[in-house]
Amino acid sequence: MPVMFPSHDRLYIVFAFALFTVSCKKSDQEVNPSLSSAQNNAFAEAQFNDVAMMVDQAINTGTITGMAGFSVGSGTNGPSGAPCASISLDTISLPHKLLIDFGATNCVGMDGRSRRGKIMAQFDGRYPDPGTVISISFQEYFVNEYRIAGTKQITNMGENIAGNPIFKVEVIGSVVKPNGHYFTWNSVRYREWKEGRATPLLPMDDMYVITGIVTGKRSEEHTSELQSPAMI
């Protein structure tokens, strides 16, 4: 039976990963490769959801609110509270286009994380509208010197028989660590929006049931697969 938890944002959801199977080509002296795989998956999940949250905010408000959007005032970031990114939003052309540009040098946000590079999105409607497709990509985007690359696509598939919206979320991603190692993170998941649709300005009361599959591979030659659907 699915277990449901309220989300902190429509597009910011933290998964509890479990039941990884790991195939190892390195020596048996490698310690807990499954733990590293779980950590990699959790990190990638957090980064791609963070990006999706910023895209959602920028589409709806033309700005980035919250901890990622404002500088702590260090280095070349300008005064404390200054915007970390410039927003370019085109809702005239189809598909609509969004550019979130953190610039070529790191900006340390109020969340303590440094970001640089660009997040790009194309979309043909609003997140709650059936049929809407939001496609996200990157250009030299870094978070704390981790390079985030790939694509994320969110498709509103309309309502199920219970009257709840269903979203298909597909990620083909990779993360390059500061030490040059990398891992891939691919997922296909379905999110059922159970509660909170009547209060779009109060995302804290949103509740989803999520099922799906996550797979990935590390440059250290371990592969992992999440065999049980992750449901929250």
Side-chain angles (χ1 to χ4, degrees):
M1 181 176 181
V3 179
M4 298 178 293
F5 297 95
S7 67
H8 289 277
D9 193 282
R10 288 201 306 260
L11 294 173
Y12 194 89
I13 304 171
V14 179
F15 277 74
F17 291 98
L19 193 57
F20 284 91
T21 61
V22 178
S23 62
C24 179
K25 295 182 181 179
K26 280 194 165 185
S27 71
D28 292 335
Q29 295 178 355
E30 187 78 33
V31 178
N32 288 333
S34 60
L35 177 60
S36 296
S37 297
Q39 291 171 337
N40 287 343
N41 276 282
F43 179 84
E45 175 73 17
Q47 301 313 310
F48 277 92
N49 283 334
D50 180 58
V51 166
M53 179 182 67
M54 289 189 284
V55 167
D56 187 47
Q57 292 174 343
I59 289 174
N60 288 314
T61 69
T63 187
I64 300 175
T65 59
M67 302 295 281
F70 303 102
S71 166
V72 296
S74 60
T76 60
N77 301 336
S80 179
C84 263
S86 63
I87 309 296
S88 175
L89 180 61
D90 175 8
T91 57
I92 303 301
S93 61
L94 280 176
H96 306 320
K97 295 180 176 64
L98 169 70
L99 173 64
I100 303 174
D101 188 354
F102 284 93
T105 58
N106 284 329
C107 182
V108 182
M110 302 292 282
D111 58 1
R113 288 184 282 180
S114 61
R115 296 175 176 86
R116 70 177 185 272
K118 298 177 181 179
I119 301 168
M120 299 161 289
Q122 293 189 354
F123 59 102
D124 55 10
R126 298 185 312 120
Y127 176 78
D129 297 338
T132 289
V133 178
I134 303 172
S135 300
I136 303 170
S137 58
F138 308 91
Q139 182 176 327
E140 295 299 314
Y141 179 62
F142 290 80
V143 180
N144 287 350
E145 301 305 321
Y146 286 75
R147 186 175 185 266
I148 313 299
T151 60
K152 179 170 186 172
Q153 181 167 289
I154 303 165
T155 303
N156 186 327
M157 302 181 67
E159 296 181 349
N160 62 9
I161 193 171
N164 297 324
I166 300 295
F167 299 87
K168 184 178 182 181
V169 183
E170 302 167 274
V171 176
I172 301 175
S174 66
V175 176
V176 180
K177 302 178 181 181
N179 63 9
H181 292 167
Y182 70 90
F183 59 92
T184 61
W185 189 79
N186 304 321
S187 68
V188 178
R189 292 162 295 147
Y190 294 87
R191 305 192 319 198
E192 180 183 0
W193 196 356
K194 297 282 287 188
E195 296 180 10
R197 302 192 304 279
T199 53
L201 299 180
L202 297 174
M204 292 291 288
D205 68 357
D206 288 358
M207 184 175 291
Y208 289 89
V209 172
I210 301 181
T211 61
I213 298 296
V214 176
T215 62
K217 183 175 182 179
R218 297 162 49 197
S219 58
E220 295 89 334
E221 298 186 326
H222 295 290
T223 60
S224 65
E225 180 176 355
L226 180 61
Q227 293 189 338
S228 293
M231 295 179 288
I232 68 171

